[in-house]
Amino acid sequence: MNHAEHAPIVLDIAGTELDRNDRRRLKHPLTGGLILFARNWRDRAQLTDLTAEIKATRPDVLICVDHEGGRVQRFRSDGFTHLPPMSALGELWMKDAMTATDAATACGYVLGAELRACGVDLSFTPVLDLDHGGSGVIGNRAFHRDARVAALLAKSLMHGLLQAGMANCGKHFPGHGFVKADSHVAVPVDKRSLKAILNDDAKPYEWLSTTLTSVMPAHVIYPKVDPSPAGFSERWLRHILRRDLAFQGAIFSDDLTMEGAKVAGGPVDAAQAALRAGCDMVLLCNQSIDGGAAIDALLDGLTRARDQGLWHPDPDSEARRLDLLPNTPPLPWDELMHQPQYQHALERLP
């Protein structure tokens, strides 16, 4: 097999433009994605130049960002619309369900069109976690407590993303909303049975099987199902998500540097564990800030693991990655601002 047939690593960069090391890492055959953060943002012109330079360096790279609305929105100035937290759509649903679905589509369109106008390919949204009331890290990022409401609002949001030519990412499979701990700094444990989880928190994944284009599993351990966090569990990813729930799209690991991932070891071991369990792509975030030694270690370590037969590239994974790239040209920002569909969507936001 050609070694370039699977580029599973999503990495980051330190600044607002590429440096020599960023360009070198982007050209690495195992690099398939780049995730942007607020530190990579100064203004729209800079972001548009940055994404153009990234694509000039590596045309097939998937440029991603966590841009949900509410408190998780990386770009907030220079014309970017402040999108509401998803709970605002859930609250609107309780007053007027059909108006809420229209507002959700408006949110998705504004979110996707503004990002794409600046050269971003994919936002890791929507959050499909249910609002059980106890999770500080999820909280108002969730649409609702009711899986049916969450699924329909998420589907409406994804419809808006689709109109903007953007794929989607449901997270955090099979559900992060029940546990109180934050997987960025702890290893949350959800002690419910598989049946309880599948009948509640994981339901949106079943109902959205034909709509979701990618999924991100939770760094949560469900000990009644598997001793490993979901993102490192073949049972959760290959057996339940792929086989039982018939999910066809790409699976991204959550950030391998989060506390919830460290049960799988350092980033190189964790990346291999995630890929073996069924992830197509692995994220390594915020490691470029101090020179990027951890990124180089992952690129080198995964290359060695492949050459030693410890990890096998998967052409199906690569096809799923490439499917997430937009296949329509974006509307430039100035044209978008005058587009009637966009102006109407702004008026429909909750």
Side-chain angles (χ1 to χ4, degrees), residues 39-59:
R39 66 169 183 275
N40 306 125
W41 160 263
R42 189 170 62 241
D43 54 43
R44 274 190 294 108
Q46 167 269 325
L47 178 63
T48 307
D49 288 348
L50 173 62
T51 56
E53 194 186 358
I54 291 165
K55 290 287 185 177
T57 307
R58 182 69 183 270

Side-chain angles (χ1 to χ4, degrees), residues 158-170:
M158 291 188 285
H159 183 198
L161 292 174
L162 185 65
Q163 289 174 328
M166 185 176 278
N168 58 64
C169 182

Side-chain angles (χ1 to χ4, degrees), residues 46-293:
Q46 167 269 325
L47 178 63
T48 307
D49 288 348
L50 173 62
T51 56
E53 194 186 358
I54 291 165
K55 290 287 185 177
T57 307
R58 182 69 183 270
D60 71 322
V61 80
L62 185 70
I63 303 176
C64 316
V65 68
D66 280 322
H67 207 80
E68 302 167 5
R71 61 195 151 93
V72 181
Q73 180 173 334
R74 303 300 182 219
F75 316 135
R76 297 171 168 270
S77 53
D78 198 17
F80 264 92
T81 302
H82 281 229
L83 294 161
M86 294 301 98
S87 62
L89 292 163
E91 287 159 15
L92 181 56
W93 172 283
M94 302 310 287
K95 300 189 188 88
D96 184 340
M98 298 317 291
T99 298
T101 64
D102 195 42
T105 299
C107 274
Y109 185 71
V110 170
L111 189 162
E114 289 182 355
L115 287 175
R116 288 211 58 212
C118 296
V120 177
D121 298 321
L122 176 70
S123 173
F124 291 120
T125 189
V127 170
L128 297 178
D129 301 320
L130 304 184
D131 183 10
H132 287 271
S135 171
V137 70
I138 303 301
N140 68 3
R141 294 165 67 191
F143 288 100
H144 205 272
R145 167 62 188 89
D146 187 324
R148 297 168 301 178
V149 176
L152 273 172
L153 287 173
K155 187 170 192 172
S156 300
L157 182 102
M158 291 188 285
H159 183 198
L161 292 174
L162 185 65
Q163 289 174 328
M166 185 176 278
N168 58 64
C169 182
K171 62 188 185 184
H172 305 81
F173 175 80
H176 199 315
F178 188 76
V179 288
K180 290 186 169 55
D182 175 356
S183 54
H184 293 83
V185 295
V187 187
V189 177
D190 184 337
K191 295 180 177 170
R192 292 177 298 168
S193 68
L194 176 60
K195 187 178 177 195
I197 296 163
L198 290 179
N199 283 339
D200 196 6
D201 294 62
K203 269 291 182 196
Y205 295 90
E206 178 187 338
W207 291 328
L208 300 172
S209 70
T210 54
T211 313
L212 285 167
T213 47
S214 69
V215 162
M216 182 178 286
H219 284 327
V220 174
I221 296 175
Y222 307 85
K224 293 211 169 92
V225 184
D226 194 297
S228 297
F232 303 100
S233 161
E234 192 172 351
R235 185 168 185 210
W236 274 118
L237 302 184
R238 293 191 193 276
H239 301 172
I240 299 171
L241 182 59
R242 283 248 184 263
R243 188 190 64 202
D244 301 346
L245 301 181
F247 175 64
Q248 310 289 313
I251 302 175
F252 288 90
S253 81
D254 207 340
D255 176 15
L256 296 177
T257 63
M258 285 164 55
E259 200 60 39
K262 290 182 181 166
V263 293
V268 179
D269 290 334
Q272 288 180 66
L275 291 164
R276 279 197 300 264
C279 287
D280 301 298
M281 310 277 291
V282 291
L283 271 72
L284 190 72
C285 300
N286 301 314
Q287 299 305 297
S288 60
I289 304 164
D290 54 1

